[in-house]
Amino acid sequence: MLVTSITSMVVGIFSGCSKEGAEAKKVNVTAMTAALKSGDKDTRINACVELASAGPRAKPAVQALVPLLKDTEPDVRRLAAYALGEIGPESKAAVPMLKELLNDPDRQVVMQVLNSLRNIDPKSFSNMQTVNVSGPPQ
């Protein structure tokens, strides 16, 4: 499912906005929000990817995504941050938690957090101090 989701996202990027809008409409935000609470890492990952593809329509999932920013799995933290960034300004409530992740030991998480912060609040992002992202990926 993750490979299919990633493939769909890549195809959507190269085929234009009409495909992206169609993908967003296909996502069952309620079901994916519930899946975020799964004990299975892959289920949480897939739910984050699906919610990201829904974009701003996934706003109801913001409060369920925030706890995943503290998940023990770096991929889950990174993809939760990605989903919040794709939701955009509608996920502004998550900015304080995202900023805490700027100290994450995994540089891929930190890079995604920076991108997400830029998508959520570009003005606030431009006022941030320099962040060290030289740590190893976990």
Side-chain angles (χ1 to χ4, degrees):
M1 174 118 184
L2 180 60
V3 172
T4 303
S5 297
I6 292 171
T7 302
S8 295
M9 287 175 16
V10 171
V11 169
I13 290 169
F14 291 110
S15 65
C17 294
S18 61
K19 173 86 172 161
E20 186 176 290
E23 287 296 315
K25 289 179 184 172
K26 289 181 187 178
V27 175
N28 182 335
V29 173
T30 303
M32 291 299 106
T33 301
L36 294 173
K37 297 176 181 158
S38 171
D40 179 61
K41 172 183 93 165
D42 292 330
T43 300
R44 294 191 310 276
I45 285 172
N46 288 333
C48 289
V49 171
E50 290 295 318
L51 289 166
S53 74
R57 206 172 66 75
K59 178 185 177 182
V62 169
Q63 293 305 316
L65 283 162
V66 169
L68 294 184
L69 297 173
K70 292 187 175 187
D71 198 279
T72 58
E73 295 290 338
D75 287 339
V76 174
R77 294 193 304 274
R78 179 177 53 82
L79 290 168
Y82 170 66
L84 290 164
E86 292 300 300
I87 293 168
E90 297 294 334
S91 57
K92 199 167 188 168
V95 167
M97 283 292 295
L98 284 166
K99 286 183 177 180
E100 286 182 27
L101 271 182
L102 291 172
N103 296 314
D104 194 280
D106 188 303
R107 73 173 173 212
Q108 291 177 333
V109 172
V110 175
M111 292 299 297
Q112 182 56 61
V113 167
L114 289 169
N115 287 328
S116 295
L117 287 169
R118 183 177 39 228
N119 288 344
I120 294 167
D121 189 6
K123 184 178 178 183
S124 174
F125 177 79
S126 65
N127 294 331
M128 288 180 53
Q129 296 178 356
T130 304
V131 176
N132 180 4
V133 292
S134 62
Q138 300 292 320

